[in-house]
Amino acid sequence: VLDFADGANDLTAQRTLHLPADWTGAIDVKFKWLSATTSGNVIWGIAAACVADGVTNDPSFSTYNDTSPDTAKGTANQTNDASVTGITTTGSCAAGSLMHISIARRLSQAGDNMAGTARLIGVELTYRRAM
């Protein structure tokens, strides 16, 4: 679980993944989260940057692909789902590349107004693959 407290600035976590050899280009993301807070909205974002073989491993991230404001459940600690379809990436994104992702609670966005900690319990990435 990653805890993203309330505040004024975006809070982020990063991870690196290897794109499958048969990846065809589109990626969708689903965030699974919960909170003890029972009102307000959270906006999740994901940015991605890829690095191909032989390229310096210091890419610039895309702009954040944000979810719509997702409302906290009226009962504490019930899970929420939020999603983004067709994220934008930067760099050498191709099958077999490394993809760095930055996941953020987008506190800088006016629509994120939940006055409590959002607990991210999972992120699902759906890759489109050749058949």
Side-chain angles (χ1 to χ4, degrees):
V1 174
L2 296 173
D3 288 347
F4 293 84
D6 188 28
N9 299 315
D10 292 349
L11 299 173
T12 65
Q14 292 183 12
R15 185 82 174 157
T16 300
L17 307 166
H18 191 259
L19 290 171
D22 59 352
W23 177 63
T24 61
I27 300 172
D28 301 333
V29 182
K30 182 173 20 173
F31 300 89
K32 178 73 87 171
W33 68 282
L34 56 83
S35 181
T37 304
T38 58
S39 64
N41 298 320
V42 171
I43 296 175
W44 295 103
I46 186 166
C50 296
V51 177
D53 183 47
V55 176
T56 304
N57 193 25
D58 187 22
S60 297
F61 282 100
S62 65
T63 57
Y64 278 98
N65 299 263
D66 293 338
T67 65
S68 297
D70 196 34
T71 304
K73 301 296 185 200
T75 301
N77 298 317
Q78 284 186 334
T79 61
N80 290 54
D81 291 334
S83 61
V84 178
T85 302
I87 68 168
T88 303
T89 60
T90 61
S92 305
C93 288
S97 299
L98 287 179
M99 182 175 70
H100 300 284
I101 60 171
S102 177
I103 298 165
R105 177 172 176 194
R106 300 280 283 145
L107 294 156
S108 63
Q109 304 302 303
D112 188 313
N113 58 16
M114 188 182 80
T117 298
R119 306 192 77 202
L120 186 64
I121 54 178
V123 177
E124 175 185 274
L125 278 77
T126 301
Y127 301 103
R128 299 298 179 274
R129 301 175 82 165
M131 297 293 289

